[in-house]
Amino acid sequence: MPNETHLWSIVSDPAASSVRRPGDAALAALGYAPSADLPSETSPHAFPDGGTWRTEIPSVEGPEALHTVLAEAERLSVPIHRISQGSGIWMLTDAEITEMVDACATAGVELCLFTGPRGTWDIGAGTRTSSGGAGLRARGQRAVAGCVEDAIRASRLGVRCLLVADEGVLWVLHQLRADGVLPADTTFKVSALIGPVNPVSVSVHERLGADSVNVPSDLTLEHLAEIRRVSRVPLDFYLEAPDDLGGYVRMHEIAELIGRGAPIYLKFGLSKAPSIYPYGAHLRDVTLATARERVRRGRLALDLLARLGADGGMSPLGSRLPGQLRRFPHDGDAGTTGTTSSTAVPGQAANGSTSTAEEAPSVERT
């Protein structure tokens, strides 16, 4: 039975001031204590290459859109670390995936494809309600199996970054990576559509196998600082969010977002644009037009960062690995209560971005 005196001391610490915030002492006992004030807290973390920020162009649906993004990025001198797709691996042929992998290899950019199926395209009525039900999460065993099938197929075609929208799928894929079914340098990116909104949830996703976590763009700077007190997992953050994610525009806070959220992927999204998932040829014109504009939004954001004198600290182009992260143990970790892991391996990833042994250690920023 819990020690009642201990429980009471957690709720009402006589040594504490008369003013307290709910749950502080209990959270502190678990290692999640917030500071008394967070007016200017800077993240102590960085990517293993020493950089504090990387860039991502999302919603790049297929080879033609990818070539459009790469050409526009060259024209506007926009550095790109990662290109991600949202319609799903199952919406691409083997030839299309191979073309995307080869193009990213040539450009030295990481390619991230979405696993599926997902709840919003399922027959479940919950996602059609005002509450949104379970959202994109995989409904039932068959949906989980479909995500695993997607992951294995994509990895065999050279894809080394997979987008995940379900905690159970994330845990299964992490175990498959640990067991060698998926390549050791595969990384898992948690979708914005299930993004955690507090430091404990972010920490849980990290331990389930996440290598980057897309948190919602309505989190405040203080929220980011709270996350950085308990986790160093890279965060993905829309500087401009799509309308179905709120349509938030945070470009003017870019320097502070890097300062509080590092290591962070700056995602150049687009509001006031139609949904293009799942993509098909009937959406070609709008897909290519919005792809170009996302790159332009990136140029605007990077110009602002330079004007603020805060454009230092970008990770070298071609870098992609997160460094050492904390994981829950699984059946292969006999007798352990927790593990650390890194997806860093020497050599070059199949999608073209370089992955050196120097990326493996966790680099703390001073």
Side-chain angles (χ1 to χ4, degrees):
M1 180 176 179
N3 186 300
E4 293 184 0
T5 302
H6 176 62
L7 289 175
W8 177 251
S9 68
I10 288 179
V11 175
S12 179
D13 183 359
S17 64
S18 57
V19 179
R20 69 176 183 85
R21 289 175 291 185
D24 275 7
L27 289 170
L30 296 174
Y32 298 111
S35 62
D37 193 13
L38 298 172
S40 59
E41 183 170 327
T42 300
S43 171
H45 306 296
F47 287 108
D49 52 64
T52 55
W53 57 275
R54 295 173 182 171
T55 62
E56 178 179 343
I57 304 293
S59 302
V60 181
E61 306 305 297
E64 187 176 12
L66 188 144
H67 291 307
T68 298
V69 164
L70 293 177
E72 193 70 358
E74 182 176 4
R75 186 180 77 85
L76 296 179
S77 299
V78 175
I80 300 175
H81 293 84
R82 177 197 281 164
I83 286 175
S84 57
Q85 174 253 18
S87 292
I89 295 164
W90 63 284
M91 290 295 296
L92 295 167
T93 67
D94 285 5
E96 288 171 329
I97 293 174
T98 300
E99 183 176 347
M100 295 177 78
V101 167
D102 290 345
C104 283
T106 299
V109 175
E110 179 175 51
L111 174 65
C112 192
L113 301 184
F114 215 134
T115 55
R118 62 194 69 172
T120 45
W121 298 343
D122 205 328
I123 60 174
T127 58
R128 276 73 172 173
T129 66
S130 57
S131 71
L136 272 74
R137 290 175 176 83
R139 296 180 69 253
Q141 177 75 8
R142 289 185 179 180
V144 173
C147 292
V148 170
E149 179 72 16
D150 264 359
I152 293 173
R153 173 182 169 231
S155 69
R156 288 174 177 170
L157 294 171
V159 177
R160 289 295 178 268
C161 182
L162 299 171
L163 247 164
V164 182
D166 183 278
E167 295 85 352
V169 171
L170 174 62
W171 177 237
V172 167
L173 295 183
H174 170 60
Q175 292 181 83
L176 292 176
R177 176 176 61 186
D179 292 341
V181 177
L182 293 174
D185 64 337
T186 304
T187 56
F188 304 128
K189 166 182 164 61
V190 172
S191 168
L193 295 164
I194 63 162
V197 294
N198 65 69
V200 183
S201 294
V202 170
S203 181
V204 169
H205 280 81
E206 174 191 352
R207 292 174 184 271
L208 287 172
D211 298 293
S212 72
V213 176
N214 202 142
V215 296
S217 292
D218 63 349
L219 293 190
T220 67
L221 296 174
E222 180 175 343
H223 291 149
L224 296 182
E226 290 171 349
I227 289 170
R228 282 298 170 231
R229 291 175 62 82
V230 302
S231 175
R232 68 166 307 277
V233 66
L235 300 179
D236 307 332
F237 197 95
Y238 273 106
L239 291 180
E240 182 176 345
D243 290 339
D244 61 356
L245 291 176
Y248 313 110
V249 179
R250 303 288 296 274
M251 190 185 301
H252 59 290
E253 297 178 275
I254 185 171
E256 291 90 348
L257 290 169
I258 293 172
R260 298 289 186 97
I264 191 169
Y265 280 88
L266 304 174
K267 291 185 68 173
F268 305 135
L270 199 60
S271 63
K272 308 305 179 188
S275 174
I276 55 175
Y277 302 158
Y279 171 75
H282 61 303
L283 297 171
R284 176 180 181 273
D285 290 345
V286 68
T287 298
L288 298 184
T290 53
R292 293 188 190 93
E293 185 58 29
R294 287 185 182 91
V295 178
R296 178 177 172 273
R297 290 293 212 271
R299 183 67 270 160
L300 294 176
L302 297 178
D303 286 348
L304 174 58
L305 198 60
R307 288 197 299 272
L308 296 172
D311 54 341
M314 185 185 80
S315 281
L317 290 175
S319 57
R320 57 177 292 267
L321 298 177
Q324 295 287 345
L325 298 171
R326 296 173 299 174
R327 309 300 193 194
F328 288 128
H330 76 291
D331 291 343
D333 303 317
T336 64
T337 58
T339 62
T340 59
S341 69
S342 171
T343 53
V345 294
Q348 187 171 18
N351 67 352
S353 55
T354 56
S355 307
T356 64
E358 285 70 26
E359 284 196 86
S362 173
V363 176
E364 298 302 294
R365 184 157 56 96
T366 58

